[in-house]
């Protein structure tokens, strides 16, 4: 929002929220009907252009976020945070506006007249009109927007983003976009009046505008030196990402739309444009200090991935009804991703003080980890990622979610045994996960109920609780036998076999059945120790998150959520890897046995904070603690 919002700041369909595309529903239905009855095919062309523009912009979003995560040729080395993501989630409003305008012109101006597919004279006239009137008018309109009166009421909204992304280019108040639409319509309206307009010239001009807008707002340099060395005057006809980036950092320079010639003519070009372009091109890929290796979970996690829809990834992963309509595309995308990608790749870059922390994705879904014939290929991909990180000098590799399964690779110990001379440290994060659960248990608790698959985290939790005199109740004899093997004789008496569901603190992992949950008393707290949260079926009980911690305020470039966790919250397994790197510990933390207390203290020392349990009073019953 602008610092002093002016008239027509809000978009008309803002109250509709995520359902704003319903505005286009009558248009789409009319276009399909007109096409089906062979009355007018060009209405459907408008819909096709709309879809193309959204796909085109989304491709730029994904490509830009991938490149900035790697760090190659980055221009501004600053972070993007949640406030920018929230502000820029309206980037597609201008697509809706333009679609409506095109449709109105089609219905009330051209009518049923059919436009030619291609006219050379119309294409040439469009190019000339853009280079002349459009660029000239935009330059002065843009300068006017930087006058304090208009800037505070409108344009400051756009300039709130110092570090730009492709979609930053179209994030403006409604009134400002009306002005842009009028200016950019000059070539199309003129060719329409002159009778030289064509379907191809319209599509090409719209694509050109979108392409250049997205290109100029990338935070990495994309245009090679050879582009200008072959024909030096191109410097005045085509801007670069670094050229426009200076406009967002300096504010009073480089006002041009796509052609910098008017900045050179009127003396507003930034003198450091050429040097920033050169230094940006010379920046090599950033070497991370630590890497977290994760994978996709559900099918819809494709859209939650930071490289996908920025607005979706900025909220906890949850089912959204409109994603169901995209299911055919989801299946296609997931097939391509898992079938043709055999390497891990960077998708997120964070900073913790002097520590550079990257997140890498292994292109597999949770379902793949359940398949026996997939395990060998998954292990090979994890091993290749570790060895590649070793060559780059990465200090720590943490294994997230199912990448450190006991049956898969023994919590990462398989790689350490296979490569005993590894300098990179493998961290499974189980130690911190166990401590997070132990410290989530309310003070004064005398007994807890254990239910779920026995893992390394589960064993560590049970051992710690029994040592501290808290009784751990188990419902099955086989669970009691397995857990007892890891306990000292002095504390085995605190591990008890029972048929009683009375404890109001339940430690739950994978394998928790719905029937077990139904036996819980009102007000029971379910504390998961597993990677994945249990299905919530008891409305009168509380379900805490999977082991996680709040990250410190100093952490930078945090603009997405980790699966089902909230904003600025990370899983304990991921935090464990970060703490390991921050502390500079030289040993691996993987396999069956590790110390737990030191990593908890180190996490707190580095600013990570425990999550607070939900309040019982919020659901209308008394807190027993």
């Amino acid at each position: 929002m602008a610092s002093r919002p002016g008239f027509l700041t809000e978009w008309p369909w803002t109250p509709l929220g995520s359902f704003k595309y319903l505005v286009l529903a009558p248009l789409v239905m009319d276009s399909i009907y007109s096409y089906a009855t062979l009355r007018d095919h060009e209405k459907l062309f408008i819909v096709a252009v709309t879809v193309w523009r959204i796909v085109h912009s989304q491709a730029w979003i994904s490509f830009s976020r991938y490149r900035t995560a790697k760090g190659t040729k980055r221009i501004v080395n600053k972070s993007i945070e949640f406030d920018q993501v929230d502000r820029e989630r309206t980037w597609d409003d201008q697509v809706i506006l333009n679609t409506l305008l095109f449709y109105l012109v089609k219905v009330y101006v051209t009518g049923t007249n059919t436009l030619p597919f291609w006219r050379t004279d119309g294409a040439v006239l469009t190019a000339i009109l853009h280079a002349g009137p459009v660029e000239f008018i935009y330059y002065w309109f843009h300068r006017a927007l930087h006058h304090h009166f208009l800037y505070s009421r409108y344009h400051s909204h756009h300039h709130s983003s110092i570090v730009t992304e492709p979609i930053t280019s179209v994030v403006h108040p409604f009134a400002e976009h009306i002005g842009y639409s009028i200016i950019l319509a000059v070539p199309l309206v003129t060719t329409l009046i002159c009778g030289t307009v064509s379907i191809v010239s319209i599509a090409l001009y719209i694509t050109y505008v979108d392409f250049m807008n997205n290109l100029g707002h990338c935070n990495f340099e994309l245009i090679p030196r050879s582009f200008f060395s072959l024909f030096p005057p191109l410097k005045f006809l085509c801007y670069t990402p670094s050229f426009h980036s200076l406009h967002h950092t300096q504010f009073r320079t480089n006002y041009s739309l796509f052609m910098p010639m008017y900045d050179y003519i009127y003396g507003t070009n930034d003198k450091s444009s050429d040097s920033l372009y050169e230094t940006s091109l010379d920046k090599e890929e950033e070497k991370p200090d630590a890497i977290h290796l994760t994978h996709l979970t559900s099918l819809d996690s494709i859209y939650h991935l930071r490289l996908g829809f920025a607005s979706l990834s900025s909220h906890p992963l949850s089912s959204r009804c409109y994603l169901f309509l995209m299911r055919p595309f989801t299946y296609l995308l997931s097939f391509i991703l898992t079938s043709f990608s055999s390497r891990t790749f960077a998708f997120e870059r964070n900073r913790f003080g002097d520590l550079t922390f990257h997140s890498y994705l292994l292109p597999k879904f949770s379902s793949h980890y359940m398949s026996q014939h997939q395990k060998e290929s998954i292990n090979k991909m994890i091993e290749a990622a570790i060895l590649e990180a070793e060559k780059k000098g990465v200090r720590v590799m943490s294994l997230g979610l199912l990448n450190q399964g006991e049956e898969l690779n023994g919590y990462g110990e398989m790689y350490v045994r296979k490569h005993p001379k590894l300098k990179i440290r493998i961290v499974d994060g189980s130690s911190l996960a166990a401590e997070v659960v132990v410290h989530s248990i309310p003070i004064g608790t005398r007994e807890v109920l254990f239910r779920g698959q026995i893992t390394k985290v589960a064993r560590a939790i049970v051992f710690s609780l029994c040592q501290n005199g808290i009784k751990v109740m188990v419902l099955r004899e086989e669970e009691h036998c397995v857990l007892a093997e890891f306990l000292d004789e002095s504390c085995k008496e605190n591990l008890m076999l029972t048929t009683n569901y009375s404890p109001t603190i339940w430690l739950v992992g994978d394998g928790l059945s719905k029937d077990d949950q139904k036996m819980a008393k009102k007000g029971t707290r379910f504390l998961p120790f597993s990677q994945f949260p249990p299905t919530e079926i008891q409305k009168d009980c509380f379900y805490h998150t999977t082991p996680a911690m709040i990250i410190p305020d100093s952490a930078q470039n945090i603009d997405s959520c980790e699966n089902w966790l909230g904003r600025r919250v990370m899983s304990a397994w991921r935090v464990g890897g970060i703490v390991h790197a921050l502390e500079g510990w030289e040993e691996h933390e993987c396999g069956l046995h590790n110390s737990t207390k030191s990593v908890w203290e180190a996490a707190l020392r580095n600013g990570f904070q425990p999550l607070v349990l939900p309040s019982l009073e919020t659901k209308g019953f008394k807190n027993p603690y």
Side-chain angles (χ1 to χ4, degrees):
M1 189 66 67
S3 54
R4 297 171 58 191
F7 179 65
L8 290 180
T9 290
E10 291 286 347
W11 290 78
W13 41 81
T14 296
L16 294 177
S18 299
F19 295 97
K20 60 187 176 184
Y21 278 94
L22 290 176
V23 173
L24 299 180
L27 180 157
V28 173
M29 290 187 289
D30 181 51
S31 300
I32 295 174
Y33 176 76
S34 297
Y35 180 82
T37 56
L38 304 178
R39 292 193 308 164
D40 193 342
H41 294 179
E42 289 176 3
K43 288 181 180 178
L44 199 60
F45 166 71
I46 297 174
V47 176
V49 169
T50 299
V51 174
W52 160 242
R53 294 186 67 194
I54 293 173
V55 172
H56 182 196
S57 295
Q58 182 58 49
W60 271 104
I61 294 169
S62 299
F63 176 60
S64 175
R65 288 192 157 207
Y66 170 69
R67 286 291 300 269
T68 52
K70 293 182 65 176
T72 311
K73 299 178 174 59
R74 187 184 296 118
I75 299 170
V76 179
N77 193 24
K78 291 184 179 180
S79 62
I80 293 174
E81 306 295 338
F82 283 111
D83 59 343
Q84 180 169 339
V85 176
D86 291 340
R87 184 172 59 252
E88 295 180 350
R89 67 192 306 265
T90 60
W91 66 270
D92 50 353
D93 281 342
Q94 48 89 29
V95 176
I96 297 176
L97 173 64
N98 296 156
T99 302
L100 292 173
L101 293 176
F102 278 119
Y103 184 76
L104 292 175
V105 171
K106 172 60 186 171
V107 172
Y108 295 106
V109 179
T110 63
T112 57
N113 295 331
T114 302
L115 298 179
F117 182 75
W118 170 256
R119 286 197 57 157
T120 304
D121 53 354
V124 172
L125 181 59
T126 299
I128 292 173
L129 288 170
H130 176 83
V134 170
E135 289 282 346
F136 177 78
I137 296 171
Y138 177 89
Y139 173 83
W140 287 105
F141 179 64
H142 194 182
R143 286 192 66 171
L145 287 172
H146 277 261
H147 183 276
H148 64 85
F149 180 84
L150 292 178
Y151 185 83
S152 62
R153 287 164 175 79
Y154 298 103
H155 202 53
S156 59
H157 178 74
H158 177 69
H159 275 277
S160 297
S161 301
I162 305 299
V163 182
T164 59
E165 291 193 292
I167 52 177
T168 306
S169 61
V170 289
V171 177
H172 301 279
F174 178 54
E176 197 171 328
H177 254 299
I178 293 175
Y180 295 141
S181 297
I182 293 172
I183 295 171
L184 293 171
V186 169
L188 301 180
V189 172
T190 304
T191 53
L192 179 64
I193 294 173
C194 295
T196 59
V197 71
S198 67
I199 290 177
V200 174
S201 65
I202 293 173
L204 285 178
Y205 185 62
I206 293 173
T207 301
Y208 166 75
V209 171
D210 286 344
F211 180 89
M212 294 301 293
N213 256 331
N214 289 321
L215 171 107
H217 288 79
C218 287
N219 190 31
F220 60 91
E221 192 50 69
L222 189 62
I223 301 180
R225 293 183 179 90
S226 58
F227 182 80
F228 297 109
S229 61
L230 291 174
F231 187 61
L234 283 174
K235 172 183 178 181
F236 305 104
L237 300 177
C238 180
Y239 73 169
T240 64
S242 54
F243 181 90
H244 190 71
S245 178
L246 284 167
H247 177 70
H248 278 261
T249 55
Q250 304 302 320
F251 299 105
R252 298 292 182 179
T253 59
N254 297 1
Y255 292 102
S256 294
L257 180 55
F258 307 139
M259 300 179 176
M261 57 183 176
Y262 291 104
D263 278 304
Y264 285 94
I265 290 172
Y266 295 108
T268 53
N269 63 299
D270 197 292
K271 301 303 184 288
S272 62
S273 297
D274 292 340
S275 60
L276 180 62
Y277 170 73
E278 294 292 336
T279 55
S280 299
L281 279 177
D282 291 336
K283 285 186 180 178
E284 298 180 353
E285 181 176 337
E286 183 180 56
K287 187 197 81 171
D289 300 302
I291 290 176
H292 178 69
L293 183 62
T294 186
H295 60 80
L296 296 164
T297 52
S298 64
L299 278 175
D300 290 340
S301 64
I302 289 177
Y303 304 112
H304 183 258
L305 189 66
R306 188 182 183 275
L307 300 182
F309 295 122
S311 59
L312 288 181
S313 66
S314 67
H315 294 86
L317 178 61
S318 61
S319 59
R320 293 173 170 85
C321 58
Y322 54 84
L323 290 183
F324 179 78
L325 301 175
M326 301 175 65
R327 192 48 59 91
F329 177 71
T330 305
Y331 283 120
L332 175 62
L333 188 59
S334 63
F335 175 77
I336 294 173
L337 186 63
T338 57
S339 301
F340 298 98
S341 180
S342 59
R343 291 171 55 88
T344 60
F345 56 87
F347 70 92
E348 190 169 351
R349 163 187 169 269
N350 309 125
R351 293 282 297 179
F352 294 84
D354 295 330
L355 180 78
T356 301
F357 184 74
H358 284 194
S359 294
Y360 273 54
L361 183 79
L362 193 150
K364 297 289 183 182
F365 291 90
S366 297
S367 57
H368 290 105
Y369 289 77
M370 305 298 114
S371 172
Q372 288 295 330
H373 75 273
Q374 288 278 353
K375 288 186 177 180
E376 183 178 356
S377 64
I378 291 173
N379 269 325
K380 286 183 178 179
M381 293 176 70
I382 298 174
E383 182 179 2
I386 292 172
L387 296 179
E388 184 179 353
E390 169 91 347
K391 291 180 181 178
K392 292 181 179 179
V394 178
R395 303 203 312 263
V396 172
M397 169 76 80
S398 66
L399 304 178
L401 293 175
L402 301 178
N403 287 323
Q404 39 109 344
E406 185 170 0
E407 294 183 0
L408 182 68
N409 50 47
Y411 303 104
E413 191 172 18
M414 183 182 78
Y415 311 118
V416 176
R417 290 182 177 180
K418 188 174 180 179
H419 305 281
K421 295 184 179 180
L422 277 178
K423 294 181 180 179
I424 188 173
R425 299 308 170 197
I426 310 301
V427 176
D428 64 25
S430 297
S431 298
L432 184 58
E435 284 295 298
V436 167
V437 175
V438 169
H439 285 82
S440 296
I441 297 174
I443 297 174
T445 299
R446 295 288 179 263
E447 60 181 18
V448 300
L449 185 69
F450 175 91
R451 183 69 190 95
Q453 182 180 340
I454 298 176
T455 62
K456 177 182 176 181
V457 174
R459 290 189 290 264
I461 294 170
V462 171
F463 180 78
S464 177
L465 294 179
C466 289
Q467 268 196 330
N468 289 299
I470 298 176
K471 296 187 181 301
V472 179
M473 323 286 283
V474 296
L475 298 171
R476 289 162 176 75
E477 187 173 353
E478 59 270 23
E479 293 174 352
H480 184 275
C481 293
V482 173
L483 290 171
E485 293 179 3
F486 293 87
L487 298 178
D488 299 332
E489 291 296 329
S490 59
C491 58
K492 278 187 178 181
E493 61 181 14
N494 290 320
L495 180 66
M496 305 178 65
L497 184 63
T498 184
T499 57
N500 187 358
Y501 289 86
S502 61
T504 54
I505 300 294
W506 284 32
L507 304 179
V508 297
D510 296 330
L512 176 68
S513 68
K514 293 182 179 179
D515 290 336
D516 282 338
Q517 289 192 56
K518 291 176 181 178
M519 300 297 293
K521 294 170 57 178
K522 181 179 179 180
T524 295
R525 299 189 184 199
F526 293 96
L527 303 182
F529 57 79
S530 57
Q531 299 272 9
F532 296 86
T535 303
E536 300 183 12
I537 65 170
Q538 292 289 80
K539 301 301 181 183
D540 59 354
C541 296
F542 286 101
Y543 293 82
H544 199 32
T545 69
T546 52
M549 299 189 78
I550 303 171
I551 63 175
D553 294 336
S554 59
Q556 299 178 353
N557 208 43
I558 311 294
D559 64 348
S560 62
C561 291
E562 184 180 349
N563 292 311
W564 40 83
L565 298 176
R567 291 186 169 186
R568 298 190 72 83
V569 175
M570 283 186 178
S571 70
W573 291 271
R574 190 177 180 186
V575 173
I578 296 171
V579 171
H580 206 92
L582 288 171
E583 292 293 312
W585 291 331
E586 291 299 324
E587 68 277 5
H588 299 285
E589 190 210 307
C590 58
L592 289 177
H593 302 283
N594 289 112
S595 174
T596 60
K597 292 186 177 179
S598 59
V599 69
W600 170 258
E601 295 166 356
L604 297 179
R605 187 166 58 249
N606 283 283
F608 292 92
Q609 300 174 25
L611 284 170
V612 178
L613 282 172
S615 171
L616 289 166
E617 284 79 4
T618 59
K619 284 202 173 183
F621 41 83
K622 188 177 180 181
N623 188 340
Y625 304 103

